[in-house]
Amino acid sequence: MIRSIATTPFAGQKPGTSGLRKKVREFQQPHYAENYIQSVFDSLEGHAGGTLVIGGDGRFHNADVIQTAIRMAAANGFGRVLVGRDGLLSTPAASHLIRKYRAFGGIILSASHNPGGPDGDFGIKLNLANGGPAPEKLTDDIYARTGTIREYRIADLPAVDLNKLGEGQAGGMAVAVIDPVADYAALMQSLFDFDAMRSLIASGFSIAFDAMSAVTGPYAHRILEGLLGCPAGTVMHATPLPDFGGHHPDPNPVHAGDLTDLLVTRRAADFGAASDGDGDRNLILGRGIYVTPSDSLAILAANARLTPGYAQGLAGIARSMPTSTAADRVAASLGIDCYETPTGWKFFGSLLDAGLITLCGEESFGTSSSHVREKDGLWAVLMWLNILARRRESVAEIVTGHWREFGRTYYTRHDYEEVDADGADRLMAGLRARFVTLTGQHGICRADDFAYDDPVDGSHSSGQGIRLIFEDGGRIVYRLSGTGTQGATLRVYIESHEADPLRHGLDPQQTLARLIDLSRSLAGIAAHTGRASPSIIT
Ligand code: VG1
Ligand code: CO
């Protein structure tokens, strides 16, 4: 039986960089998730009878909202739901399932790299038939709908047993509980040379993978230890936990500090990697070296032809605006285009769909390709391993060799987390008001607010981050995060290019010190946020 439940709007159900993300406690209010999911369904067209993929990263509250989403899908006319066993699907696996099974779209329950548990964060993302995040126009419609919603529709159904694989019925809708890993693992085998990687590993090449007690555990376990023959224990923290073991499932050198220490300081393995809550991010480490995500994108692009899936070469590359310009240099040398998009994976979708690009990435530990429409943590790990298996050089040799050829782009991101939102807004407004006066000072040749016109669908996005571009090509970029759930988070991205190989072995923070100081003084960060230094440096 389908019921219509009267409801009233909640303020602030505005999707950010990657879906709606809020504190678990906010999501736990009666009708909160229902209102949002109904607003999503109300904003769709042509979904009647279609397939909806549903899954999440296993965080606290997932189990409840998955059942709600299934019951609401039945009440809103979907014909079939595909849901991962135990409600688990990594974001890239969900993207792949949508594409493979020609689903109408998908709902992914995740707050990605944000902490989980009762005091942590929760989130809902909508993906469409191309497997990618809903575009801005649609997320704007959804937000508008959340402001006027008066009722939602839900089927009266017992909870679906998500532990058992198989297909059943729920309120006239088919519900298939599927193995979350199988299709994804097959996709990876179609892209990469598993024989070459197996022989690399059989030769003693050692890997340490930190799944951060999040969704990648089952995927990494099956692929690395199962298909590639890595020793048991290669995948650490392999069991998804509702609170990620109390950790912050963000694969950067700070939150994956133990792994980084194991590789960079103790030099205890040949290759190290980690992934985030929903499996779309990646951290890449080699013995004694951390590879910045911006460099990783550039290096993968430069070596893509060594892997079967990309042996034909790349159509083009795209990077988010704050991502370093390292990939641009590779694109130039390959004679292909490099697109610069606003932050967030949704902007890559149209370029990928139109075949303009093959690889894309963000400085925030996100890299992927045309194989799905999301960033893909394990994919990046496997692409690295495939390249390592072919080149038989160390990660450090490959990275330093890349720098010799293209120069090194020194890069850092400084985050000032959970600062006062009004102060952060004033800081950004203050910079915007001074574009003209800043130009010409300190070697700044251009100051602007990044805007983007999608070359495929013509959509326009403004206010995507403040850029200070220096005569020598260096940049300082300021953005406010669109994924935080408390106050505002100011992100400051700083980069500078160094062509001279004799200056490639320096410490990024020292090398960038002048720009870092300028980033603080020009914006008045201390005055506006009360913070003398960032909360996190990556
Ligand atoms: C952050 C990153 C952005 C990424 C987004 C979603 O957004 O900077 O590059 O696409 O998270 O990633 P923001 O607005 O907080 O800077 V995930 O793995 O959280 O889905
Ligand atoms: Co993520």
Side-chain angles (χ1 to χ4, degrees):
M1 194 185 87
I2 291 169
R3 289 199 291 152
S4 284
I5 312 284
T7 187
T8 50
F10 289 92
Q13 288 194 323
K14 186 172 170 53
T17 314
S18 182
L20 180 69
R21 229 173 258 192
K22 298 286 176 191
K23 289 273 165 222
V24 165
R25 303 235 182 266
E26 203 162 342
F27 261 105
Q28 283 174 323
Q29 299 172 83
H31 310 308
Y32 191 90
E34 289 87 342
N35 270 22
Y36 188 73
I37 294 170
Q38 187 64 54
S39 300
V40 166
F41 292 159
D42 286 348
S43 307
L44 303 177
E45 274 168 30
H47 61 287
T51 298
L52 186 69
V53 171
I54 304 181
D57 62 10
R59 68 177 59 226
F60 183 81
H61 205 45
N62 242 0
D64 289 345
V65 179
I66 287 211
Q67 297 291 346
T68 303
I70 293 172
R71 293 164 62 203
M72 290 185 67
N76 279 273
F78 281 95
R80 187 175 186 223
V81 157
L82 291 179
V83 54
R85 184 181 44 221
D86 298 327
L88 292 181
L89 284 179
S90 77
T91 289
S95 180
H96 175 52
L97 289 172
I98 294 169
R99 296 164 65 77
K100 178 165 182 176
Y101 295 104
R102 300 185 186 284
F104 179 87
I107 286 189
I108 303 171
L109 306 175
S110 172
S112 192
H113 59 287
N114 296 23
D119 298 317
D121 293 341
F122 193 76
I124 301 181
K125 303 196 278 186
L126 167 69
N127 287 34
L128 296 184
N130 72 344
E136 253 192 343
K137 196 202 148 302
L138 182 53
T139 55
D140 287 348
D141 289 351
I142 294 168
Y143 178 48
R145 183 67 191 148
T146 65
T148 58
I149 187 164
R150 290 284 170 260
E151 60 172 33
Y152 62 84
R153 288 188 296 288
I154 189 160
D156 255 338
L157 296 171
V160 174
D161 181 359
L162 297 177
N163 303 319
K164 282 205 297 283
L165 297 179
E167 184 135 1
Q169 288 278 322
M173 181 180 75
V175 178
V177 179
I178 58 171
D179 177 337
V181 180
D183 290 298
Y184 179 83
L187 175 66
M188 293 301 116
Q189 286 172 285
S190 75
L191 295 172
F192 299 119
D193 185 345
F194 274 58
D195 286 337
M197 292 189 280
R198 262 191 294 270
S199 67
L200 175 73
I201 287 152
S203 75
F205 184 90
S206 57
I207 299 175
F209 185 95
D210 191 346
M212 305 193 89
S213 305
V215 80
T216 328
Y219 294 85
H221 185 259
R222 183 141 2 142
I223 293 172
L224 297 180
E225 297 185 18
L227 296 173
L228 291 177
C230 291
T234 296
V235 182
M236 299 175 284
H237 306 117
T239 305
L241 299 174
D243 65 349
F244 308 118
H247 294 127
H248 205 133
D250 194 353
N252 62 41
V254 178
H255 294 305
D258 290 348
L259 182 79
T260 305
D261 189 46
L262 187 78
L263 270 289
V264 178
T265 314
R266 290 159 53 202
R267 305 172 63 89
D270 293 308
F271 183 79
S275 197
D276 71 330
D278 62 332
D280 58 359
R281 295 188 178 206
N282 71 92
L283 166 67
I284 301 291
L285 303 160
R287 196 183 292 279
I289 190 168
Y290 154 61
V291 187
T292 69
S294 298
D295 275 351
S296 178
L297 172 65
I299 291 166
L300 293 182
N303 292 279
R305 276 181 177 275
L306 298 177
T307 65
Y310 307 92
Q312 306 307 316
L314 307 176
I317 308 174
R319 61 164 174 85
S320 68
M321 182 273 283
T323 303
S324 98
T325 51
D328 303 38
R329 292 181 188 88
V330 175
S333 91
L334 293 173
I336 56 178
D337 287 329
C338 187
Y339 297 84
E340 185 177 42
T341 59
T343 294
W345 212 261
K346 58 187 170 225
F347 294 100
F348 294 133
S350 70
L351 302 174
L352 289 163
D353 287 348
L356 295 177
I357 60 168
T358 310
L359 291 197
C360 45
E362 296 189 278
E363 51 63 45
S364 54
F365 302 84
T367 334
S368 194
S369 86
S370 49
H371 69 292
V372 288
R373 293 293 181 273
E374 287 277 5
K375 51 189 189 264
D376 188 344
L378 258 183
W379 169 90
V381 170
L382 293 171
M383 185 136 178
W384 262 98
L385 288 175
N386 195 156
I387 291 166
L388 288 159
R390 285 292 306 277
R391 290 187 52 168
R392 295 283 173 148
E393 293 168 84
S394 69
V395 173
E397 284 163 348
I398 289 175
V399 172
T400 52
H402 186 91
W403 292 340
R404 275 195 301 278
E405 187 175 350
F406 296 96
R408 177 173 181 185
T409 313
Y410 281 97
Y411 190 85
T412 189
R413 184 173 106 180
H414 287 205
D415 290 335
Y416 299 78
E417 295 179 323
E418 298 184 8
V419 300
D420 173 60
D422 292 335
D425 286 340
R426 277 195 295 272
L427 179 151
M428 295 295 279
L431 282 169
R432 281 195 186 98
R434 284 186 292 135
F435 286 159
V436 175
T437 48
L438 283 172
T439 309
Q441 283 183 33
H442 312 286
I444 296 172
C445 61
R446 179 166 175 187
D448 66 7
D449 202 346
F450 182 63
Y452 179 66
D453 290 295
D454 186 302
V456 180
D457 65 21
S459 59
H460 179 77
S461 307
S462 56
Q464 297 293 328
I466 290 172
R467 301 190 288 192
L468 306 181
I469 301 176
F470 293 77
E471 279 151 13
D472 62 2
R475 296 193 306 169
I476 301 174
V477 172
Y478 301 86
R479 272 185 72 246
L480 298 184
S481 159
T483 59
T485 57
Q486 196 141 11
T489 289
L490 171 68
R491 304 202 194 287
V492 186
Y493 314 78
I494 298 143
E495 79 175 88
S496 159
H497 185 254
E498 176 58 67
D500 181 0
L502 294 175
R503 297 183 49 79
H504 283 171
L506 308 175
D507 173 71
Q509 300 303 316
Q510 283 168 16
T511 309
L512 295 168
R514 184 186 78 92
L515 288 180
I516 291 170
D517 286 347
L518 264 182
S519 78
R520 296 179 188 174
S521 60
L522 291 180
I525 291 180
H528 286 296
T529 68
R531 302 278 177 84
S533 54
S535 13
I536 184 159
I537 295 177
T538 52

